[in-house]
Amino acid sequence: MNKNDNKQQHNVAQEMADIELIIGKIMRIGVIIAAAVMLIGLIMLLITGNGGYYANSYPTTLTAIWHGLFLGRPFAYMMAGTFLLILTPVLRVIVSIYAFFVEKDMHYVVITTTVLLILVVSFIIGHN
């Protein structure tokens, strides 16, 4: 092995360590933001005593959640927080695809991309 190979391996190892730190930060920040949004909705619910929707009615689509956020409806905030919590690991999968690509581990790029596609398809099927 020559000096350039060692330097290239060191650069890849350093970039992988940086990506792992980024993934950890994404997970922490995603959970904190999701919890904060849900907490805002809970506080609004406790203050108003009303979820902002008719009995047994909740926003279940992204459009309804978005609309409810602008109208200041507590249940919309709680649903948005839940949605953000679900999206956090999805973002981690996307960053992992990039990490495996940088590592030139195409086997894991394919596997992780398949996992992402399964997640997207399950969201679409679950929505309908």
Side-chain angles (χ1 to χ4, degrees):
M1 217 183 310
N2 63 30
K3 236 179 182 179
N4 287 336
D5 288 341
N6 276 344
K7 187 174 182 179
Q8 186 177 14
Q9 284 179 346
H10 176 72
N11 288 342
V12 170
Q14 181 60 45
E15 187 166 355
M16 292 309 298
D18 293 343
I19 290 171
E20 287 298 322
L21 286 173
I22 290 169
I23 288 172
K25 286 179 184 178
I26 286 170
M27 296 299 285
R28 279 190 298 278
I29 291 170
V31 169
I32 289 168
I33 290 172
V37 171
M38 284 188 265
L39 186 60
I40 290 168
L42 179 62
I43 291 169
M44 290 169 66
L45 177 65
L46 293 173
I47 290 171
T48 64
N50 183 344
Y53 295 91
Y54 296 111
N56 296 325
S57 176
Y58 308 98
T60 56
T61 65
L62 289 177
T63 305
I65 293 169
W66 192 250
H67 186 60
L69 290 173
F70 282 111
L71 294 176
R73 295 181 173 171
F75 283 170
Y77 277 85
M78 288 188 260
M79 291 298 287
T82 303
F83 184 71
L84 290 171
L85 191 61
I86 291 168
L87 284 182
T88 301
V90 174
L91 186 56
R92 187 217 192 283
V93 170
I94 292 168
V95 173
S96 294
I97 292 170
Y98 171 75
F100 291 131
F101 183 78
V102 167
E103 215 174 45
K104 295 183 175 132
D105 192 342
M106 293 305 148
H107 181 73
Y108 280 106
V109 168
V110 170
I111 290 171
T112 312
T113 303
T114 303
V115 168
L116 179 62
L117 290 173
I118 290 169
L119 287 169
V120 169
V121 168
S122 70
F123 288 150
I124 292 169
I125 291 172
H127 177 65
N128 292 330

